[in-house]
Amino acid sequence: DAGVIQSPRHEVTEMGQEVTLRCKPISGHNSLFWYRQTMMRGLELLIYFNNNVPIDDSGMPEDRFSAKMPNASFSTLKIQPSEPRDSAVYFCASSRDRGDLNGYTFGSGTRLTVV
Amino acid sequence: LAKTTQPISMDSYEGQEVNITCSHNNIATNDYITWYQQFPSQGPRFIIQGYKTKVTNEVASLFIPADRKSSTLSLPRVSLSDTAVYYCLVGDNYGQNFVFGPGTRLSVLP
């Protein structure tokens, strides 16, 4: 199994541009999570999906952020327009079930820099 | 969700045993204790989970006293490659989401 695959690994963009981060979860995993990590705030849960349906997006910072999961093997996190304060490492994780505490598998992350 | 408290950072030397303690005073009956490890430039990865007493795997041991209000992650004979952030999480297996605290930053020195 290739694990959770995220792309791109690094993204540098100018303020105001649209940014799309991509994630392929592990096959058979029903839950998918997007996290953001910064030095100041640590790891923050942004949104999670269960069976492709968004369950809780209370962690999404504002309307500039949106996430979709059109099918069981693909999810996107979009920021439009991007701002310098969005610079962070964004992780995608998947698990068999959202309650599967010992089964969260994280991707390698996307390091986003907004200049 | 049960709140957890753990030291912000720890230093150790190669070959030593490292014990990281996590406090979770309001742990619920159905809650498990789970530890994750995060290396620089990588996502967190699961290392061990327990409910009570002692759990051991090839990576670490987890000690949980009878009152379950704390737990201790034990790493035997650490090496430089064990330098990482270690997160303690508490929750049940019925749909609670993971909330990661600041974790403990372990630095292993030569």
Side-chain angles (χ1 to χ4, degrees):
Chain A
D1 193 337
V4 176
I5 300 173
Q6 291 187 246
S7 63
R9 285 299 306 273
H10 303 274
E11 176 82 32
V12 180
T13 190
E14 291 186 345
M15 183 174 61
Q17 296 298 306
E18 177 180 291
V19 175
T20 300
L21 311 181
R22 297 172 176 78
C23 175
K24 176 179 169 56
I26 291 175
S27 177
H29 281 192
N30 297 316
S31 295
L32 182 140
F33 308 81
W34 282 100
Y35 285 86
R36 176 173 69 176
Q37 186 170 39
T38 61
M39 287 295 293
M40 291 295 294
R41 301 175 69 89
L43 264 169
E44 303 173 274
L45 176 65
L46 301 178
I47 185 171
Y48 81 93
F49 296 82
N50 200 49
N51 294 322
N52 311 338
V53 177
I55 303 300
D56 184 357
D57 65 354
S58 59
M60 297 284 263
E62 49 198 271
D63 292 344
R64 297 185 297 106
F65 286 68
S66 63
K68 294 182 179 179
M69 192 165 186
N71 57 61
S73 59
F74 184 65
S75 177
T76 60
L77 177 68
K78 185 178 294 185
I79 308 173
Q80 166 63 20
S82 59
E83 297 182 3
R85 60 193 168 122
D86 301 330
S87 297
V89 180
Y90 291 81
F91 288 104
C92 175
S94 70
S95 69
R96 288 190 302 274
D97 185 90
R98 62 183 181 179
D100 187 16
L101 299 181
N102 61 1
Y104 280 46
T105 302
F106 283 76
S108 298
T110 295
R111 181 175 296 277
L112 173 65
T113 303
V114 183
V115 298
Chain B
L1 289 172
K3 179 178 169 58
T4 61
T5 303
Q6 48 183 129
I8 292 298
S9 64
M10 294 180 68
D11 290 339
S12 181
Y13 290 95
E14 281 190 291
Q16 289 187 331
E17 177 184 76
V18 171
N19 296 309
I20 306 174
T21 297
C22 178
S23 297
H24 27 80
N25 291 319
N26 60 340
I27 188 170
T29 302
N30 294 330
D31 285 346
Y32 285 75
I33 301 152
T34 311
W35 286 79
Y36 274 69
Q37 173 191 56
Q38 184 178 22
F39 296 118
S41 302
Q42 295 185 28
R45 67 164 190 160
F46 168 83
I47 48 174
I48 199 166
Q49 182 185 66
Y51 183 80
K52 62 180 179 180
T53 63
K54 176 183 175 182
V55 179
T56 297
N57 62 22
E58 65 278 4
V59 176
S61 294
L62 179 60
F63 298 91
I64 305 168
D67 66 6
R68 304 199 328 120
K69 294 185 182 298
S70 67
S71 59
T72 299
L73 176 73
S74 181
L75 306 172
R77 298 180 298 282
V78 294
S79 63
L80 297 177
S81 62
D82 292 316
T83 293
V85 178
Y86 293 82
Y87 299 95
C88 167
L89 299 99
V90 172
D92 64 25
N93 284 321
Y94 298 101
Q96 290 192 13
N97 306 311
F98 263 169
V99 175
F100 285 79
T104 297
R105 185 173 299 275
L106 173 67
S107 297
V108 180
L109 308 173

